[in-house]
């Protein structure tokens, strides 16, 4: 996967806030109140401050090229910044808890008002070059046409934290500390990029738990050059064929009355799917995203969540 670094250090937040003005808002009651004006109407906050972020010199913003196109990948080294970023950008500036087991997120469909403004400026520039007086009515018609295609003004952002993948310590993963941190970051990036690829190329096949199984598989495959069934179970909270508590519970449907019962019901299907993924990945050498596409195409044969 080709990755181009765009910004580093404090510049990451400074440049992103110029695009997404809601980053100037601090999570909480006041931020929630101002959020609709900034996000829906594109109005920049009067006070532009970023002191609710700690920022580090190691923070980065990169453009990653995938089979589904380019996506911005933002890596934040301070866990507090990661959580604050998600509260603002993903939770509408609400102070909500971000699970400790969550180390990454994909925000697909973020409104970019700067792209709308740039299109407006280009529209009036061309009108001027043609010797025409700027016409507001014509612009409103062009604006409506432009907004019909969400790809024109909505962005996909991948946000990564730094640390052990899925909150699993190195000794439990079976690696030395530094090795596990490096492996974790590769898994994390490919995991989220897999979500991006699959949701763009296979929009009708979204299934929360299968999506996690497939994305973990691609991430592990990219990091290790093979699919490690034991590690795949460990990062979800599965050991010796039993669920012992971990990330898997994050994907239980909110309307499910009994979380534990639901996991018990689908666990045989999860274990079977992981075995099948392992067999499929061993059949031939593939690039990580080739594996992602293959898994989506064969999902119906591999994923039978309630087969017990």
């Amino acid at each position: 996967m080709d990755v181009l670094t765009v910004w580093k250090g404090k510049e990451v937040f400074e440049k992103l806030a110029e695009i997404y003005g809601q980053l100037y808002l601090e999570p909480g009651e006041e931020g929630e109140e101002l959020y609709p004006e900034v996000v829906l109407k594109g109005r920049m906050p009067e006070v532009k401050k970023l002191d609710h972020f700690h920022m580090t010199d190691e923070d980065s913003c990169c453009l990653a090229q995938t089979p589904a196109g380019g996506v911005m990948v933002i890596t934040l080294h301070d866990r507090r910044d990661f959580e604050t970023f998600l509260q603002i950008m993903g939770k509408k500036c609400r102070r909500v808890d971000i699970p400790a087991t969550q180390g990454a997120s994909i925000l697909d469909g973020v409104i970019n008002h700067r792209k709308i403004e740039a299109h407006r400026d280009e529209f009036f520039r061309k009108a001027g070059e043609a010797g025409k007086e700027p016409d507001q009515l014509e612009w409103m018609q062009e604006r409506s046409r432009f907004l019909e295609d969400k790809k024109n003004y909505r962005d996909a952002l991948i946000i990564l934290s730094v640390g052990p993948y899925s909150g699993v310590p190195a000794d439990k993963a079976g690696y030395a500390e530094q090795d596990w941190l490096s492996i974790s970051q590769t898994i994390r990036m490919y995991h989220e990029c897999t979500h991006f690829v699959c949701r763009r190329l296979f929009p009708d096949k979204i299934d929360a738990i299968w999506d996690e199984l497939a994305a973990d598989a691609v991430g592990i495959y990219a990091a290790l050059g093979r699919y490690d069934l034991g590690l795949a179970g460990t990062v979800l909270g599965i050991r010796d064929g039993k669920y012992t508590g971990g990330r898997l519970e994050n994907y239980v449907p909110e309307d499910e009355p009994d979380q534990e019962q639901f996991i018990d019901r689908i666990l045989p299907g999860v274990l079977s799917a992981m075995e099948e993924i392992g067999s499929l990945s061993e059949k031939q050498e593939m690039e990580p995203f080739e594996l992602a596409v293959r898994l989506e195409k064969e999902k119906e044969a591999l994923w039978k969540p309630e087969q017990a």
Side-chain angles (χ1 to χ4, degrees):
M1 178 168 56
D2 293 330
V3 179
L4 173 67
T5 300
V6 181
W7 302 309
K8 288 276 290 181
K10 291 184 178 180
E11 195 177 34
V12 171
F13 284 98
E14 292 168 352
K15 294 296 186 182
L16 287 173
E18 290 174 5
I19 301 171
Y20 312 109
Q22 59 266 43
L23 288 172
Y24 290 122
L25 305 176
E26 186 170 357
E29 189 174 337
E30 184 178 351
E32 284 186 65
E33 187 176 333
L34 295 173
Y35 182 88
E37 288 286 314
V38 176
V39 174
L40 301 180
K41 298 182 180 179
R43 295 174 183 170
M44 278 289 183
E46 291 183 13
V47 179
K48 296 181 179 180
K49 64 180 183 68
L50 293 169
D51 53 12
H52 42 285
F53 291 109
H54 296 83
M55 310 185 204
T56 74
D57 292 338
E58 291 77 30
D59 292 339
S60 66
C61 181
C62 304
L63 183 64
Q65 293 297 335
T66 76
V71 61
M72 194 176 287
V73 180
I74 301 156
T75 304
L76 304 178
H77 284 246
D78 190 303
R79 175 69 192 188
R80 295 166 296 179
D81 283 350
F82 171 76
E83 294 183 359
T84 300
F85 194 100
L86 290 191
Q87 288 171 343
I88 295 170
M89 299 294 292
K91 305 297 182 181
K92 300 182 179 180
C93 225
R94 289 176 288 148
R95 283 197 177 281
V96 298
D97 290 336
I98 305 299
T101 52
Q102 182 177 357
S105 181
I106 179 168
L107 306 175
D108 200 352
V110 180
I111 298 173
N112 185 335
H113 286 280
R114 310 296 82 80
K115 288 183 176 179
I116 300 172
E117 292 166 2
H119 187 68
R120 177 199 61 200
D121 294 344
E122 180 69 4
F123 176 83
F124 284 118
R125 185 189 67 78
K126 287 183 177 179
E129 288 180 350
K132 295 174 60 178
E133 284 291 323
D135 187 311
Q136 193 63 29
L137 178 59
E138 288 181 356
W139 159 241
M140 293 308 293
Q141 292 171 337
E142 171 59 21
R143 185 179 186 276
S144 294
R145 185 203 65 76
F146 182 75
L147 296 182
E148 283 178 2
D149 188 349
K150 291 182 178 180
K151 292 195 294 291
N152 287 334
Y153 69 99
R154 289 184 180 259
D155 297 339
L157 309 178
I158 288 175
I159 323 301
L160 308 179
S161 65
V162 173
Y165 187 69
S166 204
V168 174
D171 58 348
K172 193 173 180 181
Y175 291 93
E177 193 78 32
Q178 283 305 120
D179 290 341
W180 177 232
L181 286 175
S182 177
I183 290 167
S184 291
Q185 214 54 26
T186 301
I187 296 174
R188 195 170 278 126
M189 176 178 280
Y190 273 89
H191 176 112
E192 295 304 320
C193 285
T194 296
H195 283 321
F196 174 73
V197 169
C198 292
R199 288 172 188 175
R200 289 293 175 92
L201 300 183
F202 304 94
D204 299 327
K205 291 192 172 187
I206 296 174
D207 178 315
I209 294 176
W210 166 257
D211 288 353
E212 291 304 304
L213 293 175
D216 272 355
V218 176
I220 291 170
Y221 186 85
L224 304 180
R226 58 184 175 82
Y227 180 68
D228 185 324
L229 184 62
L231 182 60
T234 298
V235 298
L236 285 174
I238 299 170
R239 179 164 293 232
D240 298 327
K242 297 179 180 179
Y243 181 67
T244 57
R247 207 178 89 241
L248 183 59
E249 63 196 47
N250 294 351
Y251 312 106
V252 175
E254 291 183 4
D255 59 355
E256 187 62 41
D258 190 319
Q259 184 183 75
E260 188 175 333
Q261 207 173 73
F262 177 84
I263 291 176
D264 286 343
R265 194 166 68 242
I266 66 162
L267 189 58
V270 169
L271 295 171
S272 174
M274 290 165 59
E275 292 275 3
E276 293 290 343
I277 289 170
S279 297
L280 186 151
S281 66
E282 291 173 357
K283 288 180 181 177
Q284 58 181 344
E285 289 188 11
M286 291 178 276
E287 292 297 319
F289 291 130
E290 286 183 80
L291 175 60
V293 172
R294 182 82 177 270
L295 289 175
E296 285 303 307
K297 287 182 176 179
E298 299 191 23
K299 173 185 171 182
E300 284 70 22
L302 301 175
W303 178 228
K304 299 180 177 67
E306 297 189 23
Q307 63 178 20

